[in-house]
């Protein structure tokens, strides 16, 4: 199968703290890649390096026919990469000066020069798909966390990107709102949109993933099919992590 | 000389004084337009990574904020012709008002820069990051996402600044500018009735200040609808 996005040997340090120590990832078309790992293992930093919200110190990124070394990427390369990807943030980051519909339209109209009427139509369609057709004129401050995150997902999907990056999209939500966001993400996955998802929701990860990557301490420790990683992990660190998470699960239920 | 204070004269002097209101307005307009543009440049310089640039901007701002506007006005009035003469430009015959407009714009720029900078910094980083992530360029993100939010945050401070600028214009007459106060002073010298003209000018200042405050309160409510966290 064709790769949508490939990263090779990403390194990133914050001062003396080396957070990514040479991470590689290959995401195929239509695939859902789930990244797991303990807190501080570098998952967020990895996603942020992919769309240049962090400047990686080294490594290479291939997206479509565009190949760039992170260190030498120019403004134009960065803009190209950002226009082929989309991101859903942990704390939504909806534009607070814009309504739900305007949030979805912004990247279409301003960055991609889609005519406003067409963008509005697409925005309304995407909002309806995430169950928020009636909230198109609401400002973010008038929406619940779950609703805001659904708008953020609509904003990402509307851009028709080659891949959507999700960074713990449900971890800032009240428990009763997690379900609605996960349901929307499942629907996005069913549409065949390529996704890279960082999450701590294990059963969701198990259901949705085609490929699971376990990271620890700035490295990919183990990766493979969900069944392999969840039920027959080879590496000791993966086992420990899964046991710990499982334990939390058992207690919380 | 008659009465020390003649209320009837307040009314009599009102028209000639109010006829000079446009000069006061011109100074305010120069302060606002010139100050905002220069203030944006200063903010850009201050937030810039080049240390020399941000240092120079910071130095300028603390100089302006640390000296009275009347001194800045005299420095511009006496200093600018000298400086420009050196590079072969002769502005000795300029209308005095031009120097005042320049001085007030330069002065207001420093205050505007402080207001703009703190408002821009108050917009969460995530707003810019989300804008970049949907493909906006740095400038587009600033212009469409950060600036409108910063503007809303800055509105109260901008209102106060505008009122202060308006009050500051009352020093321009010291250079012989015939604004409202210049006129009040001239009438005082001519008629020995000094107080009446100033009382009328004071009434105008109070009225305009109140109007501005009301206007800004309304603007905050209008722009802020639904947006505020
Ligand atoms: N801007 C930054 N400046 C300095 N250090 C940072 C910065 N961002 C992240 N780090 C550090 O990098 C390391 C990895 O952080 P990262 O957020 O990528 O981890 P994570 O795997 O996403 O963790 P979590 O599951 O808690 O979200 C951490 O030690 C963190 O303190
Ligand atoms: Mg994280």
């Amino acid at each position: 199968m064709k790769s949508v996005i490939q990263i090779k040997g990403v390194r990133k340090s914050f001062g003396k703290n080396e957070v990514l120590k040479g991470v590689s990832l290959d995401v195929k078309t239509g695939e859902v890649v789930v990244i797991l790992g303990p807190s501080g293992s570098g998952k967020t930093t990895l996603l942020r390096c992919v769309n240049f919200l962090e400047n990686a110190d080294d490594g290479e990124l291939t997206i479509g026919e565009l190949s760039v070394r992170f260190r030498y990427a120019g403004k134009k390369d960065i803009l190209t990469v950002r226009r082929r990807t989309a991101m859903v943030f942990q704390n939504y980051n909806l534009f607070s000066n814009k309504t739900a519909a305007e949030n979805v339209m912004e990247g279409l109209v301003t960055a991609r020069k889609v005519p406003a009427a067409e963008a509005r139509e697409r925005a309304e369609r995407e909002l309806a798909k995430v169950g928020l057709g009636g909230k198109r004129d609401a400002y973010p401050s008038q929406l619940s966390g779950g609703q805001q995150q659904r708008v953020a997902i609509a904003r990402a999907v509307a851009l028709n990107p080659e891949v959507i990056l999700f960074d713990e999209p449900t971890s800032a939500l009240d428990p009763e709102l997690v379900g609605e966001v996960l349901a929307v993400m499942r629907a996005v996955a069913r549409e065949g949109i390529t996704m890279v998802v960082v999450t701590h929701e294990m059963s969701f990860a198990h259901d949705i993933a085609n490929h699971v990557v376990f990271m620890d301490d700035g490295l990919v420790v183990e990766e493979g099919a969900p069944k392999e990683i969840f039920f027959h992990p080879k590496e000791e660190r993966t086992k420990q992590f899964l046991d710990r998470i499982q334990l939390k699960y058992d207690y919380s239920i | 000389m008659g009465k020390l204070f003649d209320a009837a004269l307040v009314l009599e002097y009102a028209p000639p004084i109010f006829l000079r209101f446009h000069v006061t307005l011109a100074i305010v307009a120069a302060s606002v337009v010139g100050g905002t543009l220069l203030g944006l440049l200063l903010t850009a310089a201050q937030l810039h990574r080049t240390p020399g640039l941000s240092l120079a901007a910071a130095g300028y701002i603390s100089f302006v904020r640390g000296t009275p506007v009347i001194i800045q006005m005299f420095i511009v009035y006496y200093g600018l012709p000298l400086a420009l003469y050196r590079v072969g430009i002769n502005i000795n015959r300029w209308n005095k008002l031009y120097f005042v407009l320049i001085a007030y714009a330069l002065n207001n720029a420093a205050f505007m820069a402080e207001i703009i900078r703190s408002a821009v910094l108050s917009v969460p980083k995530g707003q810019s990051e989300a804008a970049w992530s949907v493909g906006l360029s740095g400038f587009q993100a600033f212009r469409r996402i950060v600036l409108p939010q910063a503007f809303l945050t800055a509105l109260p401070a901008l209102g106060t600044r505008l009122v202060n600028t308006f009050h500051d214009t009352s020093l321009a007459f010291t250079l012989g500018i015939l604004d409202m106060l210049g006129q009040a002073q001239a009438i005082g010298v001519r008629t020995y009735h000094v107080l009446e003209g100033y009382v009328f000018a004071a009434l105008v200042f109070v009225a305009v200040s109140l109007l501005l405050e009301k206007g800004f309160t309304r603007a905050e409510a209008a722009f802020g609808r639904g947006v505020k966290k």
Side-chain angles (χ1 to χ4, degrees):
Chain A
M1 224 196 301
K2 227 180 87 206
S3 292
V4 175
I5 195 165
Q6 271 181 310
I7 52 183
K8 274 194 210 125
V10 187
R11 289 177 178 278
K12 173 70 188 171
S13 300
F14 291 107
K16 286 208 170 71
N17 181 14
E18 191 173 30
V19 172
L20 298 177
K21 302 172 176 169
V23 176
S24 299
L25 200 62
D26 185 350
V27 182
K28 310 279 190 208
T29 309
E31 197 177 51
V32 178
V33 174
V34 167
I35 301 178
L36 304 175
S39 181
S41 55
K43 308 176 299 289
T44 296
T45 308
L46 179 66
L47 289 193
R48 288 169 60 83
C49 283
V50 169
N51 63 358
F52 292 92
L53 294 181
E54 292 305 342
N55 294 311
D57 302 324
D58 202 3
E60 209 177 301
L61 169 75
T62 306
I63 179 164
E65 76 289 357
L66 179 75
S67 251
V68 280
R69 292 281 300 273
F70 282 105
R71 278 165 67 174
Y72 305 113
K75 270 196 175 146
K76 232 183 112 220
D77 298 324
I78 293 176
L79 212 54
T80 307
V81 171
R82 285 181 180 159
R83 286 180 185 172
R84 290 185 187 179
T85 57
M87 186 150 185
V88 174
F89 298 85
Q90 190 169 349
N91 44 7
Y92 339 127
N93 286 346
L94 289 186
F95 307 130
S96 57
N97 58 326
K98 299 202 174 281
T99 63
E102 287 167 351
N103 262 276
V104 181
M105 291 168 66
E106 186 61 33
L108 294 169
V109 175
T110 306
R112 290 166 181 75
K113 308 292 173 215
V114 175
E118 190 186 325
R120 178 163 292 276
E121 223 170 86
R122 215 193 293 182
E124 282 170 10
R125 206 164 54 230
E126 293 303 337
L127 285 175
K129 277 206 298 200
V130 299
L132 292 173
K135 293 287 185 189
R136 63 177 83 131
D137 295 324
Y139 282 95
S141 60
Q142 299 163 327
L143 298 172
S144 73
Q147 289 172 331
Q148 289 188 57
Q149 195 60 298
R150 280 146 68 196
V151 173
I153 294 171
R155 173 171 76 179
V157 173
L159 297 169
N160 196 19
E162 294 182 32
V163 56
I164 303 180
L165 312 168
F166 292 82
D167 186 17
E168 296 195 38
T170 58
S171 61
L173 294 173
D174 291 338
E176 72 271 20
L177 302 177
V178 169
E180 63 188 63
V181 171
L182 294 183
V184 165
M185 288 176 66
R186 284 196 166 96
V188 172
R190 270 199 302 275
E191 279 188 49
I193 295 170
T194 313
M195 302 162 61
V196 177
V197 184
V198 172
T199 184
H200 287 300
E201 299 284 336
M202 286 304 146
S203 67
F204 170 73
H206 175 259
D207 294 351
I208 198 178
N210 304 111
H211 188 80
V212 177
V213 175
F214 174 69
M215 278 179 71
D216 192 11
D217 199 19
L219 286 167
V220 172
V221 175
E222 186 169 359
E223 62 181 309
K227 266 191 288 200
E228 295 294 314
I229 304 293
F230 282 117
F231 301 115
H232 311 287
K234 293 189 184 63
E235 299 293 326
E236 197 50 40
R237 278 192 283 179
T238 319
K239 281 180 203 160
Q240 280 172 5
F241 173 77
L242 289 171
D243 283 348
R244 239 182 11 249
I245 292 272
Q246 222 61 52
L247 219 58
K248 259 203 297 201
Y249 245 95
D250 294 344
Y251 277 125
S252 69
I253 291 168
Chain B
M1 211 175 97
K3 285 186 278 184
L4 270 179
F5 181 80
D6 186 346
L9 286 181
V10 174
L11 276 182
E12 189 184 325
Y13 295 164
I17 291 175
F18 196 68
L19 273 178
R20 305 308 296 169
F21 186 59
H22 68 280
V23 178
T24 303
L25 275 189
I27 301 172
V28 172
S31 300
V32 170
V33 177
T36 303
L37 294 178
L38 284 172
L40 276 170
L41 284 182
L42 277 175
T43 304
Q46 246 192 323
L47 298 179
H48 207 271
R49 267 169 300 227
T50 323
L53 217 53
S54 53
L55 218 61
Y60 176 81
I61 291 168
S62 44
F63 169 77
V64 170
R65 286 162 54 99
T67 51
V69 64
I70 189 163
I71 293 181
Q72 295 159 21
M73 191 169 68
F74 282 120
I75 288 178
V76 170
Y77 182 61
Y78 294 108
L80 193 60
L82 281 181
L84 288 184
Y85 195 73
R86 292 236 166 134
V87 295
I89 303 171
N90 188 345
I91 58 169
N92 282 319
R93 301 172 63 87
W94 262 17
N95 187 330
K96 274 183 193 165
L97 183 61
Y98 294 164
F99 293 100
V100 172
L101 297 183
I102 291 173
Y104 276 85
L106 288 174
N107 170 269
N108 206 28
F111 291 94
M112 290 298 288
E114 283 295 283
I115 294 172
I116 297 168
R117 189 176 65 108
S118 66
V120 164
L121 290 178
S122 79
V123 177
K125 193 83 175 86
Q127 293 286 308
S128 302
E129 292 184 346
W132 299 331
S133 81
V134 299
L136 267 57
S137 69
F139 179 74
Q140 288 171 333
F142 182 74
R143 161 77 193 67
R144 299 196 42 93
I145 305 300
V146 177
L147 209 52
Q149 294 183 35
F151 177 69
L152 205 64
T153 314
L155 258 181
L158 289 175
T160 310
R161 180 88 285 267
L162 188 58
V163 171
N164 288 341
T165 305
F166 184 61
H167 291 173
D168 279 351
T169 63
S170 60
L171 289 169
F173 82 97
T174 54
L175 266 190
I177 299 292
L178 203 59
D179 63 346
M180 287 200 302
L181 281 184
Q183 184 77 312
Q185 195 201 22
I187 291 174
V189 169
R190 207 166 58 236
T191 63
Y192 301 106
H193 280 282
V194 179
L195 199 49
E196 287 82 352
Y198 286 128
V199 166
F200 175 71
L203 289 176
V204 175
F205 274 100
V206 169
V208 173
S209 302
L210 286 178
L211 270 178
L212 285 176
E213 272 169 35
K214 264 257 159 354
F216 269 86
T217 310
R218 284 214 174 170
E220 275 163 51
F223 287 121
R225 201 176 301 130
V227 181
K228 270 269 148 61
K229 287 258 161 64

